[in-house]
Amino acid sequence: MSVKRIGVLTSGGDAPGMNPCVRAVVRTAAYHGVECYGIRRGYNGLINGDIFKLDEKSVSHTINRGGTILYTARSKDFMTEEGQKKAVSTCKFLGLDSIVAIGGDGTFQGARALSKYGINVVCIPATIDNDISCTNYSIGFDTAANTAIECIDKLRDTMQSHERCSVVEVMGRNAGFLAMYVGLAVGATAVLVPEKDIDFEHDVIEKIRQARFNGFSHYMIVVAEGAASASDVAAKIKDAIDLDPRVTVLGHIQRGGVPTGRDRINATKMGYLAVELLLAGKTNRIVCTNAGSFTDIDIDEGLAKKKSIQQIEVDVLAAMTGL
Ligand code: F6P
């Protein structure tokens, strides 16, 4: 398998660290004398031929930029066979033999479709949800978590002054990884995640009471968007114990900002490894990091894996919240 021209795209929800990842792909390709092309707006760019040449200089000063310079999209057209065929014909016409696809599960499914048409593909996990099962870590999670932590620390100041209860909704789609991590880091009174059945009386009301007995007069409830809506949780708290919680939905602010050092380094290593894998003749792979080292896995195998909240997080939360 010869690799002459690599295309790189970002797809799905953006994640801080996508830019350093694109930069690493471009620079590693240049280092090996391979041409590299940016594909705009995810798979839509492949369908529409929205593709431009990148060299080592075109990615200068991007290592510290949030968002993605390639733009991103969740392409509906690419989900159809017609869209996929158009994308493949763009690749053939331009001589793009290989694609590095940066994003989440949906992005990987798209890459798998391309690979069935004979395009070499390597995927890189990037989503603030950190819900890609074959990897411990996805680019963007650390920055998003730190953004949420900073916001909640600020909220706590005013909740404390007014002796209020706050219900904060954290992103994560159907997963609670971000909410659990953030909840533990801010010392939340309670954390609700979709992976754990919720017993409202035990998991929220009793925890608020416990905090009260421990001398607190303000309460911070963190809820994953996939578990419940913050306004429903607030209404239920009001009904049960007549507190009047303030609701904050952190929303898309969690997806922005300068990538942290951890995200820059992981993004850079993963971008580098993606190109090295292609040059080593590998295709249909996902770059992963597990137990502190970097590996790769077949896309089908990777997508079939399942992961959940770690038991230690559940246990630590129980210990920290006194129940
Ligand atoms: O997957 C990343 C994510 O930010 C999720 O946490 C969230 O549910 C979703 O994307 C929001 O998508 P959109 O940007 O389309 O509103």
Side-chain angles (χ1 to χ4, degrees):
M1 162 179 135
S2 83
V3 174
K4 286 207 179 108
R5 292 196 182 97
I6 297 176
V8 56
L9 60 83
T10 52
S11 164
D14 63 350
M18 280 181 160
N19 282 330
C21 191
V22 170
R23 172 183 178 270
V25 170
V26 173
R27 294 230 163 133
T28 308
Y31 177 68
H32 288 291
V34 174
E35 288 177 31
C36 195
Y37 292 82
I39 300 158
R40 290 194 188 91
R41 300 176 185 87
Y43 292 106
N44 282 341
L46 267 188
I47 293 173
N48 305 327
D50 196 355
I51 295 168
F52 62 107
K53 193 155 190 213
L54 286 166
D55 62 27
E56 51 277 49
K57 289 208 189 73
S58 31
V59 287
S60 295
H61 310 300
T62 58
I63 198 164
N64 58 347
R65 281 177 62 186
T68 162
I69 56 166
L70 295 179
Y71 303 98
T72 186
R74 296 188 176 96
S75 174
K76 289 213 172 78
D77 291 342
F78 191 74
M79 288 175 190
T80 65
E81 198 182 324
E82 194 194 341
Q84 288 166 10
K85 284 190 169 153
K86 268 195 195 164
V88 172
S89 99
T90 306
C91 289
K92 296 225 159 108
F93 178 68
L94 296 176
L96 282 183
D97 45 66
S98 307
I99 300 290
V100 175
I102 305 167
D105 275 2
T107 307
F108 298 178
Q109 280 159 22
R112 177 169 61 182
L114 278 182
S115 116
K116 300 226 154 87
Y117 288 98
I119 312 287
N120 311 314
V121 295
V122 174
C123 301
I124 299 179
T127 163
I128 66 162
D129 305 336
N130 203 21
D131 60 347
I132 299 169
S133 297
C134 59
T135 184
N136 245 342
Y137 192 78
S138 296
I139 296 164
F141 178 76
D142 190 56
T143 310
N146 280 296
T147 299
I149 290 164
E150 192 185 334
C151 291
I152 296 174
D153 284 347
K154 286 183 175 157
L155 259 179
R156 186 184 283 283
D157 292 343
T158 170
M159 291 302 125
Q160 193 162 20
S161 311
H162 286 263
E163 301 182 279
R164 276 176 173 156
C165 176
S166 206
V167 183
V168 186
E169 189 176 308
V170 172
M171 272 190 173
R173 201 179 287 276
N174 302 316
F177 301 106
L178 188 58
M180 180 60 92
Y181 186 93
V182 166
L184 287 172
V186 299
T189 314
V191 183
L192 303 181
V193 292
E195 291 82 354
K196 247 189 118 251
D197 290 339
I198 299 166
D199 170 349
F200 205 79
E201 178 65 23
H202 176 272
D203 296 336
V204 180
I205 303 304
E206 273 305 316
K207 296 213 172 187
I208 291 175
R209 289 192 183 116
Q210 194 66 40
R212 180 73 185 85
F213 286 132
N214 287 339
F216 281 83
S217 57
H218 72 280
Y219 316 98
M220 187 63 72
I221 316 297
V222 172
V223 51
E225 64 174 347
S229 88
S231 46
D232 286 354
V233 171
K236 282 171 94 172
I237 292 172
K238 188 165 172 45
D239 262 11
I241 46 176
D242 210 25
L243 284 177
D244 187 14
R246 294 299 189 261
V247 169
T248 306
V249 178
L250 291 180
H252 292 82
I253 198 156
Q254 293 160 103
R255 291 229 301 255
V258 168
T260 59
R262 184 175 180 201
D263 273 325
R264 294 183 203 191
I265 297 296
N266 278 334
T268 303
K269 287 182 179 170
M270 287 177 157
Y272 163 83
L273 287 170
V275 175
E276 293 293 331
L277 284 172
L278 287 169
L279 294 178
K282 290 208 186 181
T283 180
N284 205 44
R285 310 298 292 177
I286 303 170
V287 180
C288 318
T289 173
N290 285 309
S293 56
F294 288 83
T295 52
D296 58 283
I297 187 169
D298 177 79
I299 296 182
D300 298 82
E301 273 177 54
L303 286 174
K305 284 198 180 282
K306 299 265 172 277
K307 80 171 174 186
S308 191
I309 299 286
Q310 288 175 24
Q311 190 56 40
I312 185 167
E313 295 183 321
V314 176
D315 295 344
V316 167
L317 180 70
M320 294 303 115
T321 53
L323 274 175

